[in-house]
Amino acid sequence: MMLYGVLAVIGLGAGITTVLFGFGGGFLMVPVMYQGLILAYGEDSAIGQAAMHCAVATSTSLMIFSSLMATRKHHKAGTLKWAIIRPLLGFIALGALMGAAVATWVSSAPLRWLFISYLGITILDCLFRPGFTAPSSGEVHPLGKVTTAIGGTLIGGVAACLGVGGSVMTVPMLRRMGASMTQATAMASPLTFPVSIAGTLGFVLFSWQEGQALGGLHLGYIDVLALFAMMAGSWCGIRLASRWIGKLPDRLHSRIYIALLIIFWLAMLL
């Protein structure tokens, strides 16, 4: 039961990062839940061997709740640009369904290294490619139709496969389209919703038998008790962080975003 108490606290942090940085909590929850399951059940147990799959699947399902709640907060604050968001939603959902299918077929160790590698590339991109940390005017330029289709499908596939919500792709993309950090992180929340819905359905449908073998309350690879513990913490975190929407200076906001990515990368690596 201690594990679920820890996950509730992690859910609190995930709720805060969802609102302020658009993460959806995956970068925080996946490393902690992965390590927690290994420590609680042992690396050679059925759950230990499926720890990365369980962490990714449970993180993805939590994002249904957190993305909806964060979207509501940002909509009330007036930070969403729906004309930019709507064209991407369907393609992201399609990619997420494919990504969840791939994730259930890949063993736990390669999935962990995919997560680490992807996060490392993202950090380097934010640090060394011009534009991410530069102040923004807030004038967002729309994507072309082909870029929307390819980019949306790729974002959904990677996000669902790794359980990270897609913000680590959408926030840098939106920044280079001219969005401020407040706008970019706000728009990451509704773009996370189709990832979480399609990804969760994929993890349940494609891994139902594996979930039955794990015992306890599992829907496919989704750990139901862990999910509810993190939902409770996330609800508190989102309510707490909503008062800070739009109040962080743009340059500082972008630098904290990169710093958090580095922390999560080190946590998963170690």
Side-chain angles (χ1 to χ4, degrees):
M1 292 303 293
M2 183 179 293
L3 171 62
Y4 298 108
V6 171
L7 290 176
V9 175
I10 294 303
L12 175 71
I16 294 171
T17 60
T18 297
V19 171
L20 296 182
F21 301 99
F23 283 145
F27 285 114
L28 187 59
M29 291 178 294
V30 171
V32 173
M33 187 171 174
Y34 170 77
Q35 296 291 349
L37 290 173
I38 294 291
L39 291 173
Y41 295 96
E43 194 168 0
D44 295 327
S45 66
I47 291 179
Q49 291 177 0
M52 191 64 186
H53 289 93
C54 290
V56 169
T58 307
S59 169
T60 301
S61 60
L62 175 67
M63 288 186 290
I64 297 174
F65 168 80
S66 61
S67 64
L68 276 177
M69 191 170 176
T71 297
R72 179 174 173 270
K73 295 290 184 184
H74 281 294
H75 181 70
K76 288 176 66 177
T79 53
L80 295 176
K81 289 186 174 291
W82 288 104
I84 303 294
I85 296 166
R86 288 190 188 98
L88 286 163
L89 293 174
F91 294 109
I92 287 178
L94 175 63
L97 194 60
M98 294 188 291
V102 171
T104 61
W105 298 329
V106 178
S107 64
S108 189
L111 194 59
R112 173 174 171 260
W113 283 107
L114 278 172
F115 187 100
I116 292 169
S117 300
Y118 174 62
L119 189 50
I121 291 169
T122 301
I123 291 167
L124 292 174
D125 180 68
C126 291
L127 285 172
F128 297 111
R129 213 167 108 190
F132 188 83
T133 57
S136 170
S137 65
E139 293 295 325
V140 188
H141 310 293
L143 291 170
K145 291 183 179 180
V146 175
T147 305
T148 297
I150 296 173
T153 305
L154 182 62
I155 288 168
V158 172
C161 187
L162 303 181
V164 295
S167 66
V168 76
M169 298 181 76
T170 57
V171 170
M173 178 186 73
L174 291 165
R175 282 289 280 173
R176 293 190 175 90
M177 290 166 60
S180 67
M181 277 299 294
T182 296
Q183 291 171 331
T185 54
M187 287 188 279
S189 293
L191 291 175
T192 294
F193 182 68
V195 172
S196 58
I197 288 287
T200 298
L201 287 174
F203 278 116
V204 172
L205 294 174
F206 300 136
S207 60
W208 187 261
Q209 289 183 328
E210 289 85 350
Q212 288 180 319
L214 297 177
L217 291 175
H218 283 85
L219 292 174
Y221 283 123
I222 298 169
D223 186 324
V224 176
L225 290 179
L227 173 61
F228 279 105
M230 291 190 291
M231 280 178 62
S234 183
W235 181 82
C236 296
I238 289 170
R239 288 182 61 86
L240 181 66
S242 60
R243 67 189 68 183
W244 292 98
I245 292 175
K247 294 184 179 179
L248 288 174
D250 193 66
R251 186 183 291 273
L252 175 63
H253 201 166
S254 65
R255 289 178 175 177
I256 295 174
Y257 181 94
I258 296 171
L260 287 172
L261 289 183
I262 293 171
I263 292 169
F264 300 153
W265 181 78
L266 290 172
M268 198 63 203
L269 185 65
L270 298 175

